[in-house]
Amino acid sequence: MPAPDLTLLLDAARGAGEIAQRYWRQEPEVWEKDHGAGPVSEADLAVNDFLRDHLTGARPNYGWLSEESPDEPSRLDATSCFIVDPIDGTRAFIDGQQGFSHSLAVTTGDRVTAAVVHLPILGLTYAAVPDGPATLNGQPIHVRDATLDTADILAGRPVMEPGFWRDHQGPPFKRSFRPSLAWRLCLVAEGRFDATLSFRAAWEWDIAAGSLIAERAGARVTNRHGRAMQFNSPEARVDGVVIAAPALHAELRGAMVAPIRPV
């Protein structure tokens, strides 16, 4: 009998971490993607090749969506699909920072059904399935409660622009930042931060795994319009990210201008 999807993802994440560490702080070859899509390194591609071989070798009928692979429309016809970011936080990885991650998810239909976010340098592995707790290194984790004026929120600078908020000035929360979007979602799940917020469209590979981990940790997980996220979509994007404990999520949504203009 095949191993459960979560077991498969955990094994793949560990293997990805071993490959990434061979390149980390070793001056890997780096180049810019087309159309201003940002940097990519030889490590990203090596991890991507390993993950594709390992995961689709075990589940040949699953679709495949990865930041570092050409999109294949056949994934839309698959009952289940892998959604993978081989190295989330590539800039941090290139700079020798520790806060990069491997983000691995399985979807069934448009919902995430297994999720792992692994930070090999920091020794952190977050995981979840829909019928169990979110975990960090095997131990259950949970979001923490906060109010809007006391919250510490992981977000980029653009969220503070006055035009996004009803009173035309950003709420009085503290803004913090981490380079990996997948990790930001997990840090909220862990209760180390109170929310993560973005008004930009997010690629599915950045948030698929972290969205389930945050949800199973007790967060409300929606797009910027307050609607449930759907994955393995033709565009492979989600329209913004609002993730927080339910009461803070409601405060954030209530403070936002609607509709929110794109950044």
Side-chain angles (χ1 to χ4, degrees):
M1 177 179 292
D5 284 345
L6 184 62
T7 301
L8 177 65
L9 294 185
L10 286 165
D11 183 61
R14 286 189 288 267
E18 291 170 3
I19 293 169
Q21 288 180 85
R22 296 176 201 157
Y23 292 90
W24 185 63
R25 294 183 175 175
Q26 299 300 313
E27 299 185 357
E29 184 179 357
V30 177
W31 59 97
E32 289 292 321
K33 296 180 184 179
D34 294 337
H35 310 297
V40 64
S41 76
E42 59 180 321
D44 294 83
L45 301 188
V47 172
N48 188 66
D49 289 347
F50 163 76
L51 289 173
R52 180 157 195 168
D53 289 348
H54 188 86
L55 295 173
T56 62
R59 303 284 193 274
N61 295 325
Y62 284 22
W64 178 258
L65 174 63
S66 167
E67 180 174 11
E68 308 306 345
S69 297
D71 195 6
E72 298 174 2
S74 60
R75 68 179 170 82
L76 301 173
D77 298 322
T79 301
S80 297
C81 184
F82 293 110
I83 301 183
V84 170
D85 193 343
I87 296 180
D88 183 41
T90 294
R91 286 186 175 87
F93 177 86
I94 293 167
D95 289 344
Q97 298 177 33
Q98 298 178 327
F100 67 89
S101 71
H102 309 296
S103 177
L104 287 66
V106 171
T107 58
T108 302
D110 60 8
R111 300 299 180 187
V112 181
T113 51
V116 171
V117 175
H118 179 53
L119 288 87
I121 306 302
L122 295 175
L124 305 174
T125 304
Y126 302 85
V129 291
D131 59 353
T135 62
L136 169 58
N137 294 344
Q139 298 302 308
I141 54 176
H142 201 273
V143 295
R144 69 187 187 192
D145 294 319
T147 59
L148 192 57
D149 59 349
T150 63
D152 190 352
I153 295 179
L154 290 163
R157 250 185 226 99
V159 304
M160 304 308 293
E161 292 180 9
F164 289 122
W165 303 98
R166 289 188 186 276
D167 60 1
H168 298 288
Q169 66 179 63
F173 58 75
K174 177 183 176 182
R175 186 186 70 83
S176 299
F177 186 76
R178 294 294 183 275
S180 163
L181 182 51
W183 188 26
R184 289 181 228 166
L185 274 62
C186 294
L187 287 166
V188 175
E190 187 185 351
R192 288 177 59 188
F193 292 85
D194 300 303
T196 189
L197 179 65
S198 176
F199 299 143
R200 291 187 170 126
W203 291 107
E204 291 185 12
W205 47 72
D206 289 327
I207 62 171
S211 70
L212 180 62
I213 293 165
E215 178 184 306
R216 296 309 303 165
R220 185 164 183 220
V221 175
T222 72
N223 67 15
R224 63 181 179 165
H225 303 290
R227 294 192 287 270
M229 297 178 178
Q230 296 180 314
F231 294 96
N232 197 26
S233 67
E235 300 80 13
R237 289 190 178 197
V238 172
D239 193 6
V241 174
V242 185
I243 296 177
L248 178 57
H249 187 285
E251 280 196 88
L252 283 166
R253 289 281 305 132
M256 294 174 189
V257 170
I260 300 167
R261 61 179 176 82
V263 177

